[in-house]
C-alpha cells in the first residue's frame, strides 16, 4: 500500500551526482591540455578505490550495495579528491586518500547523506598532513620546465616511483603558483616582481588559470540546470574578492590582486563543486551566504597567513563544523508566521 | 603568587555568596520533580509498579527508591521519557514487572452483574457508575484500563477489551522503508521457504 | 489588471486535464444500490433518523446533524433502507464507518421542496437551512458551509470563490464553471450577502480559459447591479498548490493567514465554486446536496465528468467510462493528495466504496501512469523540497525529526503548518515518502495530546477520589466518636454513681482531654 502523492518528478540522486561529475569535464579537459594526461590516471585510480571501498564498507555495514554504488556519490568524491592531489603523486597516495575519504569520512558517519564533513576534503586534509612532501609535487604547465616526461614515463613514476635516469624530481615538478608566491614573499620580494616569473599567467598561474576557467564553465552549467543555488558560489567568490581587494588596496606590494586569488588554487572548484556539497553545507539560503562568506575569509587567512599552500580544504572543513549552528540560527519564517501578525 | 591566591579566594567568596543568596531567593516550595515525573506517568493508577498509584511511584522515583522501568501502561516510550527527564539511561522492562499490554477498557457483563459495588470501590478514577443492587457500567472514555476492578468482582463479570481501531482513533503508520534490501531479501526468502514448505509438492 | 501576489515554492506536474474536458457533464444512471455514509463531512457524524425497512423519498433527511460542526445527510433517491451498519468507505485506514444502504425503487420520487428567496430570510435562518440541506465544502475537505458562514463580529472584506482546481487530472470544477456559471455566480451572491462581503473574487487558474470566459459572461449577464460591480474573475498562474485556500488567498489579496488562525481573522472567506453552486441549489430550489460532479479519468477508455448521486459505488461509476484492462487500482481525488482505494498492486474490494460529498475525481491507475515508488535513498539535504514548499517549511528537517520520532522538535519546526500538498515528495530525488512521515508524526502528536488530556483528567478524578475517601474516613470517625460519647453519657445518666466514682470519672475525662490536646498539638507542630 502506498499513499499520495502518486506521481513524482523523474529525478534521482544518481542523476544529480552524475551531472555534477559531468560538469567537471571542461576543467579536466583543460587540465589535460595544459598539464598532460597524468591526471586521468589519478582520477581512474581514485574512482576504482572509491567504488571498492564503498562496496566493502556497505558490506561490512550490512547495507544494500547496489543502490548505493549506483548513486555516483562515491565517484564524485573520488574525482574531487583526485583533482586536489598532484597528478604525479605516487599511486598509494591516491589510494590511501580516497579510501580514507570513503571509509572514514563518509561510511563511518553513516554513509550517503550523513557525513558532516566533505569526504573529499577530509581525504585531502589527511594527505597533506601525513605526506606534505608528496603533496607538493605539482606538474608544471607544458613548456615551462627543462624536461618533460612522456605519458609512459609518468605512469612508471606514479606506480614505481622510478624516474628516467637523467632526471630529478625537481626538474619536472614545481610548487603551485600560490605556494611560489608565498615562498618568494618570505624572501622579501614584491608581488610585482614575483608575478613576472614565467609560471604566472594573466590571472593566476599559467595553465592553472585556464583550468579554473574550465571549472567555472562547469559551475555555470550547474547553476543553469539548478543543481546548485547561486548563494554559495556568489557569496564565496564575492567575499574572497572583497577581502583580497581590501588587503591589496592597503598594501599592493605584499598582497596580490583579488582576481589572482579567485583564479588560483581551488577557489573556483571549491566555490562550485566542494562547498556546494548539499550534505555538508547549510540548507537555508541565509545560512549558505554566511557559510560561504566564512569559508572565503578562512581561505584567505590560511592562504596568506597560514602554513598550507591553499586554504580551501581547511576552510571547508572548519565551516562544515559550524553548519548545524548556522542552520539553527537562519531558519526562514514559515507561511503565516511572517510580518508583525502575532 | 599571593595576589593570585587572593584573587581566587575572592572570586570563590563572591560566587559562594551569590549561590547562597540564590538558594534562598529562588527556593522552590514542594518538589517540582515529583510533579514532572507524575506528568509523564499515564495516570492509570493501576499499581503495577507496586506503589499505590502514579503519584506515590513518582515520589519514589524522585527519591531514588524506584526504577524507571516499572510502569507497563507507559510502555517503553514512557521509560524513554522518564530517562530523558531524569538524565539516566533507558532501562528495558524486566524482572518482576509485567510486559506492556495493548490499551484496553473494562466492560461489565450487565446480565451477570449483581450490583455489589465492589468494583466501584476499587476503581481509582471513579469510572464505574451504579448503586447497590443496581447494575454497574463502566464509562469507557474514563476507564484507564488499570484492571483493578477485575479481582474484586465476586461473579467475574468484568472483562478487559482492547480498544478497537476506528476511523476516529486511527493513526497513520510509520512509513515502511524498503531500503534495507539485505534484510527484506532475507524476509522474503524466509516467507518463500515457508510457503514452499506448505505447498503440496 | 489586478496586482497578483506569489506564494513560495510550488510545482508544475503534468496537468492531464484535457482528456476529461472533451465531453459535457453527463448524469450517471441510477445504480442498483447506494451506500450513504453518515460521516461525509468534517466534524461529528450525523445521527441516523431512519430505520431499516423504511421507505424514503429523494431528498429525505436520513442523518440529523449532531453537534456544532456537523451536517445533514439525505437519501439520494427514493427507495428502501436495506441496512444501517458499518461499511467500507474511502479512507486511508481501510476501516468501515456507519452507512445506510439504500435500494432505489427506480421512481426517483422527490420530497416536497421548499425553495426560498434568500433576501427575505435572516442570515441565521439561511445558515440553518444550509446545515439541514447538508451543504459542505466540495473542494475536498468537506467542511460544513454553515459553520464557515458563522463569522461572529468579523468584518469580511473579500469573499473568494476557489475555482483554481490545481491538482492534475481533476476537471469537475472546470466543467461546472463552463456549464453552470450562472448558478455559481448566483450562489456566490448568496454567500456574499450572508457574509456581507465587499467584493467577490473568483480565482481560476489560467489553464481554464473557457471557465473564465463563462464566469465573466455570467457576471455581466446577471441582473443585479451589485453583482456586476463587486464580482470579478481573476486568472491566476497555474501552479500547484495554487488552489489551497491559504495559498489562493495570498495570491489574490497578498494577505497571509496567520499560522493557527482562520481566513476570517484577516477579513477573507473562501468557498469552492461547486459549493457556491450547491448553496444556490439548496436555497433557490430547496434541493439538499444529493449529487455532485465527479471526474472519471486516468486509465479509462473515455474520460469525462458525471453528475453522480452521493452513495453510488465507485466501481459502478468507473464502469461507465470503461477502465482499461491493465488498470491496477483507483485513486479517489487527485494524484497529489488523493486516497488510494486499495493496495495498488492487488485489485481488491475497496473500489466498491461509495461516492461521497468530497469525491471530486476517481482516477483509474495503471503501472504506466503511476509507477510504484522507487526505493527511498537517504536524504542528501539537497533542499529541492525547501524550494517547492508552499508553507516555507524545511521539509528535510521535518523528515529528520519525524523519522527519528522527535515529535517535540518537529512541532517546534512548524510541522502543523504543513498542508500535506505533497510537493516535497514530488521533487525528492531520493524518493523519500516525505508527506507520509509528516502524516505519521502529526497523527502521533495528536494521539499523544489526546492521551495526555485523558491522563490529566484521570489524575484529577483520582485526586478527587483520594480526597473524598479521606473526607469520608474523617466523617465516619467523627460520627463514631460522637456516637460513643452519646452512649457513654446515656450510660452515665442511667446509672447513678457514687461521689468517689464521679471524681474518678471526671479525673479520667480531664486526663483524656489533656492527652488529646497534647496529641493534637504534636500533630499540628510536628517539630515542636
Amino acid at each position: 500500500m502506498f499513499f499520495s502523492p502518486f506521481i513524482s518528478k523523474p529525478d534521482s540522486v544518481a542523476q544529480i551526482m552524475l551531472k555534477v561529475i559531468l560538469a567537471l569535464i571542461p576543467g579536466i579537459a583543460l587540465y589535460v591540455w595544459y598539464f598532460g594526461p597524468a591526471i586521468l590516471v589519478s582520477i581512474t585510480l581514485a574512482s576504482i578505490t572509491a567504488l571498492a571501498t564503498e562496496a566493502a564498507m556497505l558490506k561490512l555495514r550490512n547495507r544494500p550495495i547496489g543502490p548505493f554504488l549506483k548513486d555516483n556519490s562515491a565517484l564524485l568524491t573520488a574525482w574531487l579528491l583526485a583533482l586536489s592531489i598532484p597528478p604525479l603523486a605516487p599511486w598509494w597516495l591516491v589510494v590511501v586518500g580516497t579510501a580514507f575519504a570513503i571509509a572514514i569520512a563518509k561510511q563511518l558517519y553513516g554513509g550517503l547523506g550523513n557525513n558532516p564533513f566533505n569526504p573529499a576534503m577530509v581525504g585531502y586534509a589527511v594527505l597533506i598532513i601525513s605526506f606534505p612532501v608528496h603533496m607538493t609535487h605539482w606538474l608544471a604547465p607544458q613548456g615551462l620546465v627543462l624536461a618533460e616526461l612522456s605519458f609512459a614515463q609518468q605512469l612508471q613514476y606514479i606506480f614505481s616511483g622510478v624516474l628516467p635516469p637523467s632526471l630529478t624530481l625537481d626538474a619536472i615538478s614545481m610548487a603551485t603558483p600560490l605556494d611560489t608566491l608565498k615562498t618568494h614573499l618570505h624572501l622579501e620580494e614584491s608581488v610585482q616582481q614575483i608575478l613576472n616569473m614565467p609560471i604566472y599567467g594573466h590571472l593566476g598561474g599559467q595553465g592553472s588559470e585556464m583550468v579554473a576557467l574550465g571549472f567555472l564553465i562547469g559551475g555555470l552549467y550547474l547553476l543553469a540546470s539548478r543543481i546548485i543555488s547561486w548563494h554559495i558560489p556568489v557569496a564565496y567568490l564575492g567575499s574572497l574578492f572583497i577581502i583580497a581587494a581590501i588587503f591589496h588596496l592597503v598594501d599592493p606590494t605584499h598582497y596580490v590582486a583579488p582576481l589572482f586569488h579567485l583564479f588560483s588554487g581551488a577557489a573556483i572548484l571549491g566555490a562550485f563543486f566542494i562547498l556546494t556539497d548539499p550534505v555538508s553545507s547549510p540548507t537555508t539560503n541565509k545560512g549558505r551566504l554566511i557559510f560561504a562568506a566564512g569559508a572565503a575569509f578562512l581561505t584567505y587567512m590560511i592562504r596568506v597567513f597560514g602554513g598550507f599552500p591553499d586554504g580551501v580544504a581547511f576552510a571547508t572543513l572548519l565551516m562544515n563544523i559550524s553548519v548545524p549552528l548556522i542552520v539553527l540560527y537562519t531558519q526562514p519564517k514559515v507561511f503565516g508566521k511572517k510580518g508583525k501578525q502575532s | 603568587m599571593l595576589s593570585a591566591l587572593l584573587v581566587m579566594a575572592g572570586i570563590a567568596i563572591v560566587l559562594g555568596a551569590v549561590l547562597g543568596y540564590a538558594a534562598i531567593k529562588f527556593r522552590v516550595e514542594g518538589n517540582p520533580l515529583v510533579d514532572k515525573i507524575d506528568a509523564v506517568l499515564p495516570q492509570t493508577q493501576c499499581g503495577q509498579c507496586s506503589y499505590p498509584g502514579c503519584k506515590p511511584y513518582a515520589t519514589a522515583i524522585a527519591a531514588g527508591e524506584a526504577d524507571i522501568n516499572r510502569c507497563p501502561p507507559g510502555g517503553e516510550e514512557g521509560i524513554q521519557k522518564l530517562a530523558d527527564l531524569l538524565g539516566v539511561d533507558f532501562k528495558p522492562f524486566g524482572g518482576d514487572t509485567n510486559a506492556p499490554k495493548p490499551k484496553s477498557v473494562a466492560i461489565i457483563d450487565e446480565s451477570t452483574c449483581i450490583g455489589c459495588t465492589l468494583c466501584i470501590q476499587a476503581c481509582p478514577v471513579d469510572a464505574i457508575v451504579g448503586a447497590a443492587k443496581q447494575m454497574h457500567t463502566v464509562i469507557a472514555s474514563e476507564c484507564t484500563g488499570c484492571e483493578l476492578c477485575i479481582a474484586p468482582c465476586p461473579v467475574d463479570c468484568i472483562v478487559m477489551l482492547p480498544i478497537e481501531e476506528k476511523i476516529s482513533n486511527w493513526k497513520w503508520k510509520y512509513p515502511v522503508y524498503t531500503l534495507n534490501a539485505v534484510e527484506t531479501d532475507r524476509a522474503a526468502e524466509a516467507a518463500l521457504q515457508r510457503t514452499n514448505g506448505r505447498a503440496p509438492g | 489588471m489586478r496586482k497578483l501576489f506569489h506564494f513560495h515554492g510550488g510545482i508544475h506536474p503534468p496537468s492531464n486535464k484535457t482528456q476529461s474536458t472533451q465531453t459535457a457533464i453527463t448524469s450517471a444512471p441510477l445504480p442498483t444500490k447506494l451506500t450513504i455514509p453518515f460521516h461525509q463531512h468534517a466534524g461529528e457524524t450525523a445521527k441516523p433518523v431512519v430505520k431499516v425497512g423504511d421507505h424514503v423519498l429523494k431528498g429525505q433527511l436520513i442523518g440529523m446533524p449532531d453537534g456544532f460542526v456537523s451536517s445533514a445527510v439525505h437519501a439520494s433517491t427514493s427507495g428502501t433502507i436495506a441496512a444501517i451498519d458499518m461499511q467500507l468507505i474511502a479512507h486511508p485506514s481501510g476501516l468501515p464507518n456507519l452507512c445506510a444502504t439504500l435500494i432505489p425503487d427506480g421512481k426517483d420520487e422527490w420530497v416536497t421542496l421548499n425553495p426560498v428567496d434568500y433576501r427575505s430570510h435572516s442570515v441565521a435562518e439561511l445558515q440553518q437551512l444550509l446545515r439541514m440541506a447538508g451543504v459542505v465544502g466540495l473542494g475536498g475537505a468537506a467542511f460544513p458551509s454553515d459553520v464557515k458562514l458563522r463569522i461572529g463580529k468579523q468584518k469580511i472584506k473579500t469573499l473568494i470563490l476557489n475555482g483554481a482546481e490545481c491538482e492534475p487530472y481533476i476537471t469537475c470544477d472546470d466543467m461546472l464553471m463552463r456549464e453552470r456559471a450562472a448558478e455559481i455566480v448566483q450562489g456566490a451572491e448568496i454567500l456574499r450577502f450572508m457574509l456581507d462581503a465587499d467584493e467577490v473574487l473568483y480565482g481560476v487558474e489560467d489553464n481554464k480559459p473557457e471557465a473564465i470566459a463563462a464566469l465573466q459572461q455570467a457576471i455581466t449577464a446577471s441582473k443585479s447591479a451589485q453583482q456586476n460591480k463587486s464580482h470579478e474573475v481573476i486568472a491566476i498562474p497555474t501552479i500547484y498548490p495554487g488552489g489551497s485556500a491559504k495559498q489562493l488567498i495570498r495570491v489574490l489579496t497578498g494577505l497571509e493567514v496567520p499560522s493557527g488562525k482562520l481566513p476570517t481573522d484577516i477579513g477573507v472567506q473562501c468557498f469552492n465554486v461547486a459549493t457556491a453552486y450547491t448553496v444556490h441549489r439548496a436555497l433557490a430550489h430547496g434541493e439538499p446536496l444529493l449529487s455532485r460532479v465527479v471526474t472519471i479519468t486516468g486509465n479509462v477508455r473515455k474520460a469525462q465528468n458525471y453528475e453522480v448521486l452521493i452513495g453510488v459505488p465507485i466501481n459502478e461509476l468507473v464502469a461507465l467510462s470503461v477502465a482499461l484492462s491493465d488498470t491496477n487500482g483507483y485513486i479517489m481525488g487527485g494524484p497529489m493528495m488523493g486516497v488510494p482505494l486499495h493496495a495498488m498492486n492487488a485489485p481488491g474490494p475497496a473500489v466498491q466504496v461509495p461516492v461521497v460529498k468530497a469525491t471530486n475525481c476517481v482516477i483509474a491507475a495503471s503501472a504506466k501512469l503511476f509507477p510504484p515508488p522507487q526505493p527511498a535513498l537517504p536524504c542528501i539535504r539537497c533542499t529541492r523540497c525547501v524550494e517547492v514548499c508552499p508553507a516555507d517549511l524545511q521539509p528535510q528537517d521535518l523528515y529528520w525529526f519525524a523519522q527519528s520520532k522527535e515529535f517535540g522538535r518537529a512541532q517546534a519546526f512548524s510541522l502543523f503548518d504543513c498542508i500535506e500538498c505533497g510537493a516535497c515528495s514530488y521533487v525528492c530525488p531520493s524518493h523519500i515518502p516525505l508527506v507520509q512521515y509528516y502524516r505519521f508524526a502529526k497523527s502521533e502528536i495528536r494521539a499523544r495530546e489526546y492521551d495526555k488530556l485523558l491522563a490529566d483528567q484521570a489524575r484529577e478524578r483520582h485526586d478527587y477520589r483520594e480526597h473524598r475517601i479521606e473526607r469520608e474516613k474523617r466523617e465516619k470517625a467523627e460520627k463514631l466518636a460522637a456516637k460513643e460519647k452519646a452512649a457513654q453519657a446515656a450510660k452515665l445518666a442511667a446509672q447513678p454513681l457514687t461521689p468517689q466514682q464521679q471524681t474518678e470519672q471526671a479525673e479520667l475525662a480531664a486526663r483524656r482531654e489533656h492527652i488529646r490536646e497534647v496529641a493534637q498539638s504534636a500533630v499540628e507542630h510536628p517539630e515542636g
Side-chain angles (χ1 to χ4, degrees), chain A:
Chain A
M1 181 81 104
F2 63 99
F3 293 99
S4 63
F6 302 99
I7 49 176
S8 67
K9 207 174 176 179
D11 201 358
S12 68
V13 173
Q15 273 178 35
I16 292 176
M17 296 289 172
L18 185 67
K19 281 183 186 163
V20 179
I21 290 174
L22 290 181
L24 284 169
I25 284 178
I28 293 173
L30 287 163
Y31 206 127
V32 173
W33 178 262
Y34 284 97
F35 296 93
I39 185 69
L40 299 179
V41 179
S42 3
I43 289 178
T44 316
L45 211 51
S47 301
I48 296 168
T49 314
L51 291 177
T53 316
E54 180 107 326
M57 287 304 286
L58 287 167
K59 178 113 184 113
L60 282 176
R61 290 179 55 221
N62 198 15
R63 314 236 63 205
I65 294 172
F68 282 110
L69 271 196
K70 280 185 236 146
D71 68 23
N72 295 332
S73 64
L75 272 187
L76 179 58
T77 301
W79 284 42
L80 289 175
L81 183 58
L83 288 173
S84 322
I85 301 176
L88 276 194
W91 66 271
W92 53 264
L93 196 73
V94 180
V95 170
V96 167
T98 317
F100 193 93
I102 299 290
I104 312 284
K106 185 178 175 191
Q107 290 292 339
L108 282 195
Y109 279 100
L112 178 70
N114 292 307
N115 46 297
F117 301 105
N118 187 314
M121 290 304 102
V122 173
Y124 173 85
V126 166
L127 292 183
I128 199 152
I129 292 169
S130 316
F131 312 103
V133 178
H134 295 92
M135 289 293 282
T136 53
H137 293 161
W138 290 89
L139 275 175
Q142 286 174 347
L144 270 191
V145 271
L146 299 168
E148 266 168 29
L149 295 182
S150 70
F151 186 52
Q153 287 168 322
Q154 286 181 340
L155 274 183
Q156 190 191 3
Y157 179 66
I158 290 171
F159 285 99
S160 64
V162 177
L163 281 173
S166 57
L167 287 172
T168 61
L169 193 57
D170 288 339
I172 53 157
S173 78
M174 56 194 305
T176 62
L178 271 174
D179 222 2
T180 315
L181 179 72
K182 198 183 263 175
T183 319
H184 285 264
L185 279 173
H186 276 297
L187 301 172
E188 303 283 309
E189 290 177 41
S190 81
V191 166
Q192 287 74 18
Q193 279 175 304
I194 302 168
L195 287 189
N196 282 331
M197 292 167 68
I199 68 157
Y200 292 103
H202 304 284
L203 295 167
Q206 178 118 40
S208 65
E209 63 189 15
M210 296 310 290
V211 176
L213 206 64
F215 289 135
L216 180 63
I217 292 167
L220 293 177
Y221 160 74
L222 289 184
L223 273 182
S225 56
R226 301 181 68 102
I227 300 230
I228 58 173
S229 73
W230 59 267
H231 302 81
I232 288 179
V234 170
Y236 180 73
L237 296 177
S239 309
L240 189 58
F241 186 91
I242 291 168
I243 298 166
I246 293 170
F247 276 92
H248 181 66
L249 288 177
V250 171
D251 184 0
T253 53
H254 285 97
Y255 299 100
V256 71
L259 272 181
F260 179 86
H261 272 288
L262 296 194
F263 282 88
S264 300
I268 300 268
L269 187 69
F272 289 97
F273 293 89
I274 294 169
L275 286 162
T276 52
D277 166 33
V279 178
S280 54
S281 67
T283 47
T284 58
N285 286 339
K286 213 191 286 175
R288 285 175 178 145
L289 296 178
I290 296 170
F291 170 81
F297 176 77
L298 288 174
T299 305
Y300 189 82
M301 291 299 144
I302 296 169
R303 274 184 180 181
V304 177
F305 305 105
F308 289 106
D310 197 355
V312 176
F314 287 101
T316 308
L317 294 176
L318 286 172
M319 290 314 289
N320 283 161
I321 304 175
S322 36
V323 164
L325 194 70
I326 294 175
V327 170
L328 190 65
Y329 283 99
T330 53
Q331 286 292 316
K333 287 268 188 289
V334 169
F335 187 97
K337 291 184 178 166
K338 289 177 190 158
K340 285 171 200 92
Q341 296 155 330
S342 60

Side-chain angles (χ1 to χ4, degrees), chain B residues 86-197:
Chain B
L86 302 168
V88 297
D89 283 336
F90 174 84
K91 239 184 180 173
F93 286 109
D96 50 345
T97 322
N98 296 331
K101 290 183 200 162
K103 253 183 111 178
S104 310
V105 290
I107 302 283
I108 297 179
D109 177 3
E110 297 172 350
S111 57
T112 323
C113 175
I114 52 169
C116 66
T117 75
L118 286 176
C119 59
I120 296 183
Q121 291 164 38
C123 180
V125 292
D126 290 342
I128 306 179
V129 288
K133 308 245 169 81
Q134 309 277 317
M135 172 197 83
H136 306 335
T137 302
V138 178
I139 308 169
S141 63
E142 306 207 334
C143 174
T144 61
C146 68
E147 306 188 2
L148 291 180
C149 53
I150 292 184
C153 181
V155 291
D156 288 337
C157 71
I158 307 179
V159 285
M160 299 303 296
L161 280 188
I163 294 177
E164 209 184 324
E165 192 175 49
K166 290 182 300 234
I167 285 187
S168 54
N169 66 7
W170 175 78
K171 289 193 288 185
W172 284 95
K173 303 293 174 292
Y174 191 82
V176 188
Y177 233 115
T178 49
L179 180 70
N180 212 331
V182 178
E183 275 163 35
T184 41
D185 282 354
R186 272 184 205 147
E189 231 166 76
L192 203 68
Q193 274 170 359
R194 256 180 279 129
T195 39
N196 284 351

Side-chain angles (χ1 to χ4, degrees), chain B residues 77 121 123 125 142 174, chain C residues 399 403 448 461 465 468:
Chain B
E77 215 181 293
Q121 291 164 38
C123 180
V125 292
E142 306 207 334
Y174 191 82
Chain C
Y399 156 67
Q403 65 101 27
R448 254 153 242 229
R461 290 200 305 274
R465 181 175 182 268
R468 193 188 67 219

Side-chain angles (χ1 to χ4, degrees), chain C residues 80 97 111 123 127 223-224 257 290 297 315 326 334 366 395 398 410 476 512:
Chain C
T80 315
N97 213 350
V111 287
V123 172
Q127 284 165 0
K223 278 172 233 147
S224 147
V257 181
L290 301 183
T297 182
N315 54 345
D326 61 334
S366 67
L398 291 177
K476 220 178 205 171
R512 249 190 226 130

